[in-house]
Amino acid sequence: MDVETVKERAGPREFSPADDMPEKYRKAATRMIQFHANSEIMGAYLEKPFIRQAPSIDRKLAFSAKVQDEIGHGQLLYRAAESLGIKTREEMLDELANGEGKFLNCFHYPMESWAEVPMIAFFVDGAAMRRQATLKSSSWEPYAHAMDKVCFEEGFHVKHGEDIMARMATGSRKEQQMLQDAFDEWWPRIIQFFGPTDDKSTHHDFSAEVGLKQKTNDELRNAFLDAYVPKAKSYGLEIPEYPRIEEVGDGEYHVEEDDLDWDEFFTVSKNEYEPGKGQIDSRKAAQEAVDWVRDTIEGDANLPGSQAAPAAD
Amino acid sequence: MAATEIELTPDQRLALETELRTLADDEFVLAERYTEWQVHAPTLESDLALANIAQDELGHARLWYDLLEELGYDETDLLWERDPDTFRHATLSELPFPEGEWADAIVRSYLFDVAEGLRLESLEESAYPAIADRVGKIQREEGYHTEHAENWLERLATDDEGGDHLQAAVDRLFPHALALFVPTEPVPFGAETVSGDGAGSQYTDTDALPDAATVEETIVAEGYRTDSLATLGERWLDRVVPTLESHGLRTPVPADGEITDELVPDACGRNGRHTDDWDTLYADFTHTYRELGREDATMIMDRPE
C-alpha cells in the first residue's frame, strides 16, 4: 500500500498486521506507540515508592494494583508496537534503559510526598484518559484495541486519584496546604502534558493524515482545561496566576502558552533534564541487576517470566 | 458467627490474638517486601506475577487484621500507630532483598508458602469459626503462589549461575524460615480493647503475661489451630528439604534432621526481637501517615465477610 492510499483509507481501526503498510506509516506508528509504552513504564517507576508510603491497607492495595496495571499497559502497548515490524520489545526496552527512549514530560520530575500522588493519579492520568479515549479510533487496529483495556483501567485509577485528593482537600489545614503546594508545582507541567501548540509540533501532520492521531494537541489541552479547571476549583485548589488561564466563553478555557517554560519542556523531551536522567539511570541499574535472570530464562517459552506465564492475565 | 459473640476468657483471648497477630503480621510485612519488586522484576511478565502475589498477601493480612478488629482494635492500633516492637512476623518476612536477587524472592516465597499452606490446613477445623471461614479463600491463592515459586525454582536451578544465586538465598533465608515455627511471644491487650466488665484486664501489662510456650499450648488446647508448631515444622522440613536437595541445594539441617535452637537466629521476630532492617521498613511504611498527621486509616473497599 502506498502512502496516498493509506491517507485515503485512513479511518478508525482501518489497518492491521494483515495489511501491507508503507514503512513511513509503520515508523510513525512505532514512534507513537513506543512513546506511549515507555510512558507507562516510567510512570509506574515514578509512582512505585508510594505503594510503600500509602497511609492505609486499602490505599496500599489499590496503589499496588495501579502500578501493576501500568506495567500491564506497557506490556500491551509494546506488543501493539511490535506488530508494526519495526522494532522488537527488547529493542524498545533497551532504548528506554539507555536513555534513547522518549516518554511523557511529567514522568521526568521527581515525586517526594503523598500530596503529589493525586497530581499524577488524578490530573496526569485524567489528561492521559482524554488523549487515550480519542486513540480508540486510531487507524492502527492493535493500538486502538489496546486502548479499550487501558481506558477501562485508567478510569479506576483516576477515580482513586480523585479520592486521594478529596481526602486531602477535606483534611487538616496542613494537608490542604501540602496539596496546594504540590498543585502549584505540577500545574504548568500538567498543562504541558499535551505538548506544544500545533504549529510547533513536528510530528502531528503525518500522524493525523494517516489517522494514527485523532485530535490536535490544542484541542486536547483545551478540552482538558474545560473539565479540570472547574474540578480543581471544586476541591478548593487555587489556580496559580501563571500560566494565565482565560475563560473565553461558556465554560471554556484558554491558556497563554507563552507563560509556560518551553525550553524546559524541550530539555525534558530530549531526556536531558537532570532529575529525569536520574530516573532513567536508576531504572537502568535496577534492570541490569536482574540481567542474569533474563539470561537464564532466555528462549524458554513455557516457563515463568515468558509471555505464557499464567499470572500475566 | 461474629467473633464478638463468643465469650472469651483472658487466656483464650490472649491465645487467639497471638495466633492472629502472627498470621497477619507475616503476610503484611512479606507483602510490603514483595512490592519492592514492582517495576524492578526481570521481565514485564514476572513483574505482573509478583505484584499479584503481593496483593494476595496484603489481602490475607487484611482478612486476619479484620478478625483482630472484631476484637476491638482498629487499623491504626494494628499498623499505623503500633509500637514496632510488638510486631510478631518471622524475620523471614522483613529481610530486605539484596539488589537484583530475584532468587531471594523465589526461595523466600517457596519457604513461606509451603509453611503457610501447612498452617492453613491446621486452621481448617479451627474452633474459632471466623478463622475456619477465612481459610478456604486464602488456600486457593496460596496454592498458586507455591506453584509459581516451584516453577521458578526449577527453572533457575537448571542454570549454573541461577543455582549459585539460589544457594546463596537458601543459606541466607533458611534460618529465618525456621523462625516461622517458633512460638510467638504474646503482646499485652491494649487497654482500649478491654471490655467494660473488665474481662481480660489481667493482661494489660507485659509482666503478667504467660510465656510463648504456654500461649502456644493454649492455642492448640483450645483448638484455634489443630496442630502444634512443632508438628507443622516437621512436616515443613519433610517437604522443603528433599525438594531443595532435588535441585542440588544444601540446607543447614543436619543429617539426623534434628533442629536445634542454634539454627534459629536470636532475633527471629516471633520473640519480639527484629533485625535493624525492620525499624527502617516500619519508619518508611508509616512515613506518610505521620507526615500527614493522620488519626485514621482510609478504607475504600468493603470489609471482608
Side-chain angles (χ1 to χ4, degrees):
Chain A
M1 205 183 300
D2 61 33
V3 171
E4 287 317 308
T5 314
V6 172
K7 288 181 185 173
E8 273 166 37
R9 280 181 51 188
R13 306 192 183 210
E14 181 67 26
F15 308 118
S16 76
D19 294 299
D20 175 29
M21 303 305 290
E23 190 177 32
K24 191 174 181 193
Y25 177 94
R26 292 189 290 123
K27 280 189 168 165
T30 302
R31 181 177 53 236
M32 191 168 164
I33 303 171
Q34 182 181 0
F35 179 92
H36 198 160
N38 289 345
S39 300
E40 297 282 356
I41 304 295
M42 294 309 290
Y45 187 79
L46 182 65
E47 288 189 291
K48 172 255 172 69
F50 293 93
I51 303 170
R52 170 144 306 161
Q53 300 215 357
S56 82
I57 295 188
D58 283 2
R59 288 265 189 256
K60 192 181 290 286
L61 255 171
F63 216 69
S64 170
K66 175 191 198 297
V67 170
Q68 182 189 28
D69 285 348
E70 311 290 12
I71 294 295
H73 299 170
Q75 182 194 38
L76 208 58
L77 286 162
Y78 283 124
R79 207 174 290 158
E82 267 187 329
S83 68
L84 289 148
I86 299 288
K87 291 176 190 172
T88 65
R89 179 173 99 169
E90 206 178 341
E91 285 169 332
M92 292 184 270
L93 283 168
D94 283 348
E95 286 179 11
L96 183 61
N98 62 32
E100 293 165 44
K102 305 293 167 54
F103 57 96
L104 275 172
N105 72 316
C106 289
F107 301 147
H108 290 255
Y109 295 95
M111 277 170 81
E112 271 149 31
S113 94
W114 183 254
E116 292 175 273
V117 167
M119 300 305 128
I120 298 286
F122 179 61
F123 289 106
V124 176
D125 284 358
M129 274 283 278
R130 302 238 139 214
R131 173 146 67 191
Q132 285 163 348
T134 70
L135 294 173
K136 286 184 179 183
S137 309
S138 178
S139 61
W140 186 242
E141 194 280 333
Y143 190 27
H145 184 73
M147 284 307 108
D148 292 337
K149 183 168 198 274
V150 169
C151 287
F152 178 75
E153 293 180 351
E154 284 297 337
F156 291 102
H157 300 174
V158 174
K159 272 194 190 133
H160 186 221
E162 185 164 12
D163 193 55
I164 292 172
M165 185 163 78
R167 168 80 207 249
M168 290 196 77
T170 56
S172 65
R173 189 74 206 111
K174 183 187 175 189
E175 287 193 49
Q176 291 174 9
Q177 189 58 51
M178 284 172 71
L179 192 65
Q180 181 67 48
D181 291 347
F183 186 68
D184 290 348
E185 192 174 17
W186 280 85
W187 180 238
R189 306 165 182 170
I190 292 163
I191 295 174
Q192 287 181 311
F193 169 95
F194 294 100
T197 191
D198 298 326
D199 34 324
K200 286 184 195 159
S201 166
T202 44
H203 299 310
H204 178 70
D205 291 350
F206 182 76
S207 302
E209 281 165 9
V210 296
L212 282 168
K213 203 172 159 179
Q214 294 294 315
K215 296 263 186 185
T216 68
N217 292 353
D218 290 345
E219 286 169 331
L220 288 167
R221 180 172 42 246
N222 289 338
F224 170 78
L225 289 172
D226 297 349
Y228 279 77
V229 168
K231 274 183 198 275
K233 287 180 176 169
S234 75
Y235 286 108
L237 289 169
E238 280 177 42
I239 309 293
E241 193 178 347
Y242 292 98
R244 282 164 291 177
I245 302 222
E246 200 190 346
E247 194 169 345
V248 289
D250 213 7
E252 287 191 27
Y253 294 85
H254 175 78
V255 63
E256 192 58 62
E257 290 207 41
D258 290 341
D259 287 353
L260 292 159
D261 186 345
W262 292 103
D263 288 342
E264 180 176 289
F265 177 83
F266 287 112
T267 306
V268 164
S269 302
K270 282 183 273 182
N271 290 351
E272 287 170 4
Y273 180 70
E274 273 309 324
K277 275 162 80 174
Q279 294 279 109
I280 295 166
D281 291 344
S282 63
R283 183 184 162 276
K284 182 187 184 187
Q287 282 298 298
E288 282 175 350
V290 282
D291 268 346
W292 69 271
V293 186
R294 282 190 295 275
D295 291 345
T296 304
I297 61 173
E298 206 171 5
D300 229 325
N302 295 313
L303 285 158
S306 73
Q307 303 248 346
D313 287 340
Chain B
M1 190 190 306
T4 41
E5 291 164 21
I6 298 173
E7 292 274 340
L8 297 167
T9 68
D11 281 332
Q12 287 173 327
R13 175 164 173 157
L14 189 71
L16 190 58
E17 277 199 15
T18 304
E19 183 69 1
L20 289 172
R21 279 179 192 272
T22 305
L23 291 163
D25 294 349
D26 272 350
E27 301 261 25
F28 179 83
V29 178
L30 186 63
E32 195 61 61
R33 284 299 184 199
Y34 280 157
T35 63
E36 288 177 14
W37 283 103
Q38 289 195 251
V39 206
H40 287 66
T43 61
L44 298 180
E45 288 71 26
S46 53
D47 208 293
L48 296 170
L50 202 62
N52 270 348
I53 294 174
Q55 288 157 34
D56 286 347
E57 304 295 23
L58 264 179
H60 303 168
R62 202 163 153 272
L63 289 173
W64 297 131
Y65 283 131
D66 187 63
L67 292 190
L68 284 160
E69 287 175 24
E70 288 186 9
L71 293 171
Y73 297 97
D74 65 24
E75 193 179 310
T76 61
D77 302 324
L78 297 167
L79 285 171
W80 311 103
E81 295 174 19
R82 181 164 157 199
D83 179 347
D85 292 342
T86 66
F87 280 76
R88 290 294 182 261
H89 56 275
T91 39
L92 182 72
S93 296
E94 79 193 28
L95 297 177
F97 295 108
E99 199 190 358
E101 277 308 329
W102 181 247
D104 185 305
I106 298 307
V107 171
R108 190 180 307 204
S109 168
Y110 176 68
L111 297 176
F112 179 83
D113 291 327
V114 172
E116 199 195 357
L118 292 166
R119 194 164 186 134
L120 289 170
E121 277 174 27
S122 189
L123 296 169
E124 283 172 2
E125 307 288 324
S126 175
Y128 194 69
I131 291 181
D133 287 348
R134 288 174 186 213
V135 168
K137 176 186 164 27
I138 300 178
Q139 277 174 326
R140 281 191 293 281
E141 294 177 346
E142 287 302 336
Y144 164 70
H145 299 177
T146 310
E147 195 185 313
H148 174 265
E150 284 172 342
N151 286 344
W152 267 105
L153 207 56
E154 194 177 327
R155 186 63 194 97
L156 294 177
T158 55
D159 179 89
D160 284 350
E161 193 186 355
D164 292 345
H165 283 275
L166 287 174
Q167 185 62 58
V170 172
D171 292 346
R172 181 170 55 245
L173 297 172
F174 204 93
H176 295 279
L178 292 172
L180 291 166
F181 305 100
V182 172
T184 301
E185 199 72 39
V187 176
F189 299 155
E192 70 278 10
T193 69
V194 174
S195 59
D197 59 9
S201 58
Q202 76 188 85
Y203 292 143
T204 50
D205 73 81
T206 317
D207 295 340
L209 288 176
D211 65 12
T214 308
V215 175
E216 163 67 9
E217 277 171 30
T218 310
I219 291 169
V220 179
E222 292 293 338
Y224 298 141
R225 171 169 27 82
T226 50
D227 297 292
S228 71
L229 289 172
T231 303
L232 295 178
E234 283 165 23
R235 286 181 197 157
W236 180 79
L237 286 171
D238 287 346
R239 187 157 154 203
V240 301
V241 173
T243 301
L244 293 173
E245 284 175 351
S246 76
H247 292 305
L249 299 165
R250 299 175 305 278
T251 70
V253 179
D256 63 5
E258 197 65 32
I259 298 290
T260 58
D261 287 349
E262 283 93 76
L263 287 174
V264 183
D266 292 339
C268 74
R270 292 284 194 255
N271 57 2
R273 293 172 59 199
H274 291 275
T275 65
D276 292 344
D277 295 308
W278 167 238
D279 293 331
T280 315
L281 182 61
Y282 178 84
D284 281 352
F285 84 73
T286 55
H287 168 81
T288 300
Y289 183 87
R290 281 178 284 110
E291 185 188 31
L292 301 180
R294 289 272 166 96
E295 289 171 356
D296 65 302
T298 308
M299 291 183 188
I300 54 176
M301 302 172 195
D302 293 337
R303 302 325 292 168
E305 286 168 18

